[in-house]
Amino acid sequence: MKNASNTQNNTIVSLKEFTANPAPLGLMGFGMTTVLLNIHNAGYFPMNTMILAMGIFFGGMAQVVAGIMEFKKNNTFGATAFTSYGFFWLSLVGTIVMPGLGMGEAASAQAMAAYLFMWGLFTLGMFVGTLRISKNLQIVFGSLTLLFFLLALGDFTGNEMIATIAGYEGIFCGFSAIYGALAQVLNEVYGEEVLPLGNVTTAKKAAKVEVATSK
């Protein structure tokens, strides 16, 4: 009688991701919409359909698409950020448009202050995450945190000067996101660092690079 031996072969399958980087789309949608809204906040033109349309389609839908793509990239930070801020823009447009459609009462200044304050808290938490990513995102999320808190304070106090200051600060925030989007696109196209992002190299990342190099 022969002894039967079962041999189990383990096959490791490595999958390589070939999809494009969705971050520039998300950053550009956020940045351009933020700049335009905050030009309004700074007092240069009233709220109009241009801002609302940007909030729905580019700031809103484009960021949600980018967030869904980041899920496929296994990027929890990017997926959470883009999807959340995409729906932020859609919800903001909703607060403006829905009362005119007879879908509830318009939000009071105090209610909007609470709304903006909660988004400020969320952004502050996300800012902590950027400390492990890049200097550019630290600027984007740091200035966005300040923007939300300034807007909340402006609504809570009714002080127009605070709202105006927030507008100018928001313009800076938006352009910092636009810079980040363009930097990622141009750096990839040219295959070199055309515009610096200040990527953070942690000890953990450095160890991974060293191991990969040794192989």
Side-chain angles (χ1 to χ4, degrees):
M1 182 178 179
K2 295 181 179 180
N3 292 326
S5 59
N6 295 325
T7 303
Q8 183 178 1
N9 294 323
N10 293 324
T11 302
I12 299 176
V13 178
S14 179
L15 298 178
K16 188 173 182 180
E17 179 64 68
F18 288 101
T19 56
N21 177 15
L25 170 64
L27 285 170
M28 191 63 74
F30 168 80
M32 289 179 60
T33 310
T34 298
V35 168
L36 293 173
L37 173 64
N38 283 285
I39 293 176
H40 154 72
N41 288 336
Y44 287 94
F45 48 70
M47 179 65 69
N48 54 44
T49 53
M50 178 273 291
I51 299 173
L52 297 177
M54 284 289 289
I56 294 171
F57 297 107
F58 202 30
M61 291 183 180
Q63 280 201 91
V64 171
V65 169
I68 293 172
M69 293 172 68
E70 290 285 14
F71 275 105
K72 183 174 175 57
K73 290 285 191 180
N74 195 29
N75 182 354
T76 302
F77 182 92
T80 303
F82 289 135
T83 306
S84 297
Y85 292 118
F87 282 114
F88 159 75
W89 283 111
L90 292 174
S91 67
L92 181 63
V93 172
T95 63
I96 298 170
V97 174
M98 288 171 66
L101 299 176
M103 301 173 66
E105 296 182 5
S108 65
Q110 288 72 26
M112 288 304 298
Y115 171 82
L116 294 165
F117 179 79
M118 292 306 299
W119 278 102
L121 284 181
F122 169 72
T123 306
L124 179 61
M126 297 298 285
F127 167 74
V128 175
T130 66
L131 300 178
R132 300 291 297 272
I133 303 176
S134 72
K135 301 291 185 183
N136 173 252
L137 287 182
Q138 290 170 26
I139 294 172
V140 173
F141 280 81
S143 59
L144 181 58
T145 301
L146 179 59
L147 173 61
F148 276 128
F149 287 143
L150 282 174
L151 289 172
L153 183 62
D155 279 341
F156 184 76
T157 61
N159 190 318
E160 293 185 2
M161 180 60 68
I162 295 177
T164 302
I165 294 172
Y168 286 105
E169 200 274 343
I171 293 170
F172 169 80
C173 174
F175 275 119
S176 68
I178 292 172
Y179 172 88
L182 292 175
Q184 291 190 48
V185 171
L186 295 178
N187 291 350
E188 181 179 317
V189 169
Y190 284 91
E192 60 181 331
E193 189 178 67
V194 178
L195 297 174
L197 290 167
N199 293 327
V200 176
T201 302
T202 64
K204 189 174 182 180
K205 287 182 181 178
K208 287 183 178 179
V209 172
E210 186 177 349
V211 170
T213 304
S214 64
K215 291 180 179 179

